Amino acid sequence: MQLPDVLGPREESEFLYGSLADQMFTVTGRSGFFDGLLGWPDINRVLRSHALPKHSVVVTKGGRRVPDEAYTQVVPRYPDQLSAAHLTETRLCARALGTFLRNGASLALNGLEDHHGPLAELIRDLEARLRVRVYANAYMAWGDTSGLSAHWDDHDVLVLQISGRKHWSVLPPTQPFPMEGAGTLEHPPAMETARGIVLTAGDVLYLPRGWWHLVTPVNEPSLHLTLGFTRRTGAHFMEWLAADLRKEVEFRRDLPRGADAGDRQEHLTRLRAALTRYLDDPGILDRYFAVADERCTRNLIDLTCDVAEVET
């Protein structure tokens, strides 16, 4: 499965670089479309067979996170070997986890692309097209209680409804191009005025960053995936530029803390001139994108290629 399959009738170019990048939209009417991508047996296999990294499994209820210690246990990795008693791993406690879920809690499994092949292939395709890192989280619920309160994310999200149904209440952003650290977080708006969307198996919902949403189960088993990614912004560019400017002697000089106003202004003038030379370079964005693309490339191991053949 690839990005064009997920988008359905939507134009890929418009999603990557055009008007769809900052518009909420849905793709519906494809029952069972994601059957080959992920299912409940795959979730069970991951939960049973992996000592998962810390915070990769998250249980929430009514907007509150349940402490990890309430549904996990530290066990010996090799219980029959006394010499390895110091080697331990954290495993899920099936009984405790089941109790929370039966009582209306929701379950999130983060970083699922690291544990499931078909999903990893989709993620690699999205990363190659978007040129940013993409993360896959699975969300499961059985009752009718929201796991998280109304909130917005500082990254874009593609929601793939895998099984069952889930109700989404969505509202447009209340500030333009919101980012974490960009100012005081607002109080959630009145979600009673939100648009209601019920996703069924095979549906897709795209939420650009900043869209308020409240997700509510409908008292039946439900499984959906979120594919989250952060598009490049001017703030990301300036973070890279600040590091690259260390090559410029003017930016390596000490700031004139004790100087008079005239000397300070002269120093700022030299900095402004050096910065302008950088920004006037027509290839500056290409340089940044090349570095950013390299950083988001996953280090994928292929033993059929990475291990040199040993002659005997």
Side-chain angles (χ1 to χ4, degrees):
M1 182 170 292
Q2 299 181 333
L3 177 60
D5 303 314
V6 174
L7 296 178
R10 306 285 181 171
E11 286 291 335
E12 178 189 350
S13 60
E14 286 297 304
F15 176 74
L16 294 177
Y17 312 114
S19 60
L20 285 181
D22 56 5
Q23 292 182 12
M24 185 274 292
F25 65 81
T26 59
V27 180
T28 61
R30 303 186 297 178
S31 178
F33 187 75
F34 299 118
D35 286 353
L37 179 65
L38 181 70
W40 289 105
D42 303 312
I43 296 293
N44 289 333
R45 177 186 55 78
V46 172
L47 294 178
R48 290 170 180 167
S49 60
H50 291 271
L52 298 167
K54 190 174 179 63
H55 305 311
S56 61
V57 176
V58 177
V59 177
T60 56
K61 184 178 181 182
R64 294 178 178 270
R65 178 169 176 168
V66 178
D68 295 356
E69 297 76 15
Y71 54 88
T72 62
Q73 55 186 343
V74 179
V75 298
R77 181 174 296 177
Y78 306 107
D80 299 325
Q81 299 181 20
L82 293 178
S83 61
H86 62 289
L87 298 175
T88 62
E89 59 189 20
T90 301
R91 290 276 183 173
L92 294 172
C93 178
R95 180 174 298 178
L97 179 62
T99 299
F100 280 113
L101 300 180
R102 282 192 299 272
N103 290 327
S106 296
L107 174 65
L109 180 53
N110 300 323
L112 191 55
E113 73 277 8
D114 293 332
H115 306 288
H116 184 55
L119 182 56
E121 293 178 7
L122 173 60
I123 293 299
R124 286 196 291 271
D125 178 76
L126 264 66
E127 290 178 341
R129 297 171 191 268
L130 288 162
R131 313 292 283 276
V132 296
R133 188 64 67 91
V134 181
Y135 301 93
N137 301 332
Y139 294 88
M140 293 143 276
W142 291 261
D144 57 4
T145 303
S146 297
L148 298 173
S149 56
H151 65 284
W152 58 269
D153 296 316
D154 66 346
H155 54 271
D156 300 345
V157 174
L158 274 169
V159 180
L160 281 55
Q161 187 67 32
I162 304 298
S163 175
R165 297 177 299 159
K166 207 163 267 182
H167 183 275
W168 290 70
S169 300
V170 298
L171 280 171
T174 47
Q175 58 176 307
F177 307 110
M179 293 182 69
E180 185 178 357
T184 305
L185 294 178
E186 312 130 288
H187 294 292
M191 297 306 292
E192 293 80 5
T193 63
R195 174 183 173 182
I197 302 171
V198 176
L199 295 184
T200 62
D203 290 351
V204 172
L205 168 65
Y206 173 61
L207 287 181
R209 60 187 165 113
W211 274 75
W212 291 90
H213 52 281
L214 176 65
V215 187
T216 307
V218 293
N219 222 13
E220 66 183 41
S222 175
L223 166 61
H224 80 261
L225 274 173
T226 64
L227 310 180
F229 51 93
T230 302
R231 299 178 192 263
R232 310 289 183 206
T233 67
H236 295 117
F237 168 69
M238 291 303 296
E239 290 172 358
W240 168 79
L241 185 61
D244 204 61
L245 283 170
R246 294 173 185 269
K247 301 173 183 176
E248 283 283 331
V249 63
E250 292 299 339
F251 279 87
R252 297 199 303 268
R253 294 185 190 275
D254 296 345
L255 289 173
R257 178 187 290 272
D260 59 29
D263 288 341
R264 286 188 172 195
Q265 188 57 49
E266 182 181 349
H267 190 91
L268 289 175
T269 298
R270 292 198 302 268
L271 292 180
R272 187 180 300 111
L275 179 59
T276 300
R277 287 196 300 271
Y278 256 68
L279 295 179
D280 285 345
D281 177 1
I284 188 69
L285 282 180
D286 288 332
R287 285 177 51 205
Y288 164 67
F289 285 134
V291 173
D293 290 351
E294 179 67 23
R295 288 177 178 173
C296 81
T297 301
R298 293 180 186 262
N299 183 22
L300 300 176
I301 296 176
D302 183 351
L303 296 184
T304 60
C305 299
D306 295 341
V307 180
E309 182 177 354
V310 178
E311 296 184 359
T312 58

